[in-house]
Amino acid sequence: MQIRWEIILSFVTAIAAIVALVQTQRQMSISNKQSLFEKRIEAYLVAKGLLQLFKENQRSLSCKGKGPFMAIEVDFAWLTNNSFLESITDSIGAPLEMPGHRIYLMKMEEIKTVSTKICFLFSGKESYKLAEYVLSYQELLTQMYKYKILLVNMHEASEKYNWDFEYTLTKFDEAQQRSELKSALDKLQEAFTYIENKNVVDKIERQIKL
């Protein structure tokens, strides 16, 4: 019987193409898993850092007390005391001044982005709770920054018009701004407590795998 080499060659070529396709798909799958792993690690580490900061400093925050928060810069420093946030620690010392203000705005947007990524990269209720915590952290920093701006404006006005402290507080509606700041702190505290009590971090860590 005559061997049809062209048929055999075609068959071998087809097999080789199939094997190559399977290998390519396998490599793509591994690459996608590696990319997902790296993105999850990146978002997780940011969130874990924010959790650690609040855990270590929540008892020291002066904005948990009553009356005007004159030491808001110190609170802001405590809550930005890690490698992810250290670039904005000094921005509250001279709010709205460049380049510190621009760096601050960019970091606030970066935190929002991390919160959004957590929702997409992880699954389950715990992903939304962790994302909520990160966003609440950003809101507290924002309220602290706004409150510092208020203090600066109050100081300038009191010197310019020779207002006493109590009149200045009333004139600038300091109590309203303070209330908004405390609400942001309460929201962050609530999110933090849920994460601690429901072992959210452990559940998120179990999703981080190749």
Side-chain angles (χ1 to χ4, degrees):
M1 183 177 66
Q2 186 178 3
I3 299 176
R4 299 290 298 274
W5 290 106
E6 64 274 11
I7 295 178
I8 295 176
L9 182 60
S10 297
F11 180 75
V12 171
T13 301
I15 293 297
I18 293 173
V19 171
L21 179 60
V22 170
Q23 290 179 335
T24 299
Q25 290 178 331
R26 183 180 180 186
Q27 288 298 322
M28 288 178 61
S29 177
I30 294 174
S31 178
N32 289 339
K33 287 182 178 180
Q34 179 66 35
S35 177
L36 177 60
F37 173 79
E38 292 174 355
K39 290 177 180 178
R40 282 177 168 175
I41 282 289
E42 182 181 4
Y44 162 80
L45 289 177
V46 171
K48 186 70 178 294
L50 300 184
L51 286 165
Q52 192 65 31
L53 278 176
F54 189 71
K55 183 175 183 178
E56 292 175 352
N57 299 297
Q58 57 179 316
R59 297 182 184 277
S60 303
L61 299 177
S62 65
C63 58
K64 282 191 170 185
K66 298 179 180 180
F69 305 138
M70 306 307 293
I72 198 66
E73 283 187 52
V74 177
D75 289 350
F76 192 85
W78 286 128
L79 294 181
T80 57
N81 189 33
N82 70 7
S83 59
F84 177 69
L85 295 174
E86 57 88 20
S87 62
I88 64 170
T89 299
D90 294 335
S91 64
I92 199 170
L96 300 180
E97 292 187 10
M98 297 298 178
H101 183 60
R102 181 176 64 252
I103 296 172
Y104 160 80
L105 291 176
M106 291 173 63
K107 184 59 68 173
M108 293 302 100
E109 288 302 314
E110 187 177 356
I111 298 174
K112 288 182 180 179
T113 299
V114 170
S115 175
T116 301
K117 285 181 177 180
I118 288 172
C119 289
F120 287 102
L121 292 172
F122 298 96
S123 61
K125 185 177 181 179
E126 54 268 21
S127 69
Y128 293 100
K129 287 298 182 179
L130 187 60
E132 180 183 45
Y133 173 83
V134 171
L135 196 59
S136 295
Y137 203 100
Q138 187 268 355
E139 177 60 23
L140 178 59
L141 294 181
T142 298
Q143 290 298 330
M144 287 180 164
Y145 194 82
K146 289 171 62 177
Y147 191 83
K148 176 59 180 181
I149 294 172
L150 175 71
L151 292 181
V152 171
N153 292 338
M154 286 171 52
H155 176 72
E156 292 177 351
S158 66
E159 287 198 337
K160 182 177 181 179
Y161 301 110
N162 199 30
W163 293 342
D164 64 34
F165 185 64
E166 292 300 327
Y167 181 79
T168 305
L169 292 177
T170 303
K171 192 71 175 178
F172 280 85
D173 197 14
E174 180 274 339
Q176 176 61 34
Q177 188 68 53
R178 179 169 14 114
S179 176
E180 292 178 7
L181 197 162
K182 292 194 73 171
S183 293
L185 176 59
D186 291 342
K187 185 176 180 181
L188 181 64
Q189 180 70 67
E190 181 180 351
F192 177 82
T193 300
Y194 181 93
I195 288 172
E196 288 280 287
N197 292 341
K198 299 297 182 178
N199 298 317
V200 169
V201 173
D202 290 341
K203 294 175 182 177
I204 289 293
E205 287 177 348
R206 285 198 288 270
Q207 294 186 42
I208 304 176
K209 57 184 178 181
L210 284 173

